[in-house]
Amino acid sequence: RALVEAPVPTIFAPVDACVQTAVRASDVSEFAARCCAGDGVPAACALVPGMRAQTRSMPYFVNSHLSLRFPTTAHAALASEPAFIPWDAVAVFAATLSEGFD
């Protein structure tokens, strides 16, 4: 409730729209190589451990359920490989550092 009532812009994305995107383990590796090397982006690099944990855990806890619930719209990677639906911070970097994502 506090987040919804906070004086900041809020955007809610329905889950059926979110499942159309997947960050795969290979995306995380490429992201880490670009953002954590040399003059990379420290804030982005700080997300890498969490992203790796998500690619390991979400296939077991979430992805299979979403793939079944949205069989025609869910990203294929959610059913076939280690991947996760990007959370807000990852989505921001995907939009602003698009060269690190397909």
Side-chain angles (χ1 to χ4, degrees):
R1 182 181 285 289
L3 177 63
V4 173
E5 294 173 357
V8 296
T10 305
I11 297 173
F12 290 97
V15 72
D16 55 330
C18 296
V19 299
Q20 296 177 38
T21 306
V23 176
R24 301 164 298 175
S26 59
D27 296 324
V28 176
S29 295
E30 185 175 332
F31 182 84
R34 291 175 186 253
C35 294
C36 298
D39 61 344
V41 182
C45 190
L47 296 174
V48 171
M51 292 168 70
R52 287 191 173 131
Q54 291 286 308
T55 58
R56 288 189 304 269
S57 62
M58 296 318 275
Y60 300 104
F61 297 114
V62 176
N63 296 359
S64 59
H65 302 289
L66 292 175
S67 295
L68 292 173
R69 184 170 176 195
F70 303 102
T72 60
T73 58
H75 193 287
L78 296 177
S80 63
E81 61 185 292
F84 67 93
I85 298 167
W87 15 277
D88 295 347
V90 176
V92 168
F93 281 113
T96 60
L97 300 169
S98 60
E99 68 276 0
F101 296 87
D102 290 339

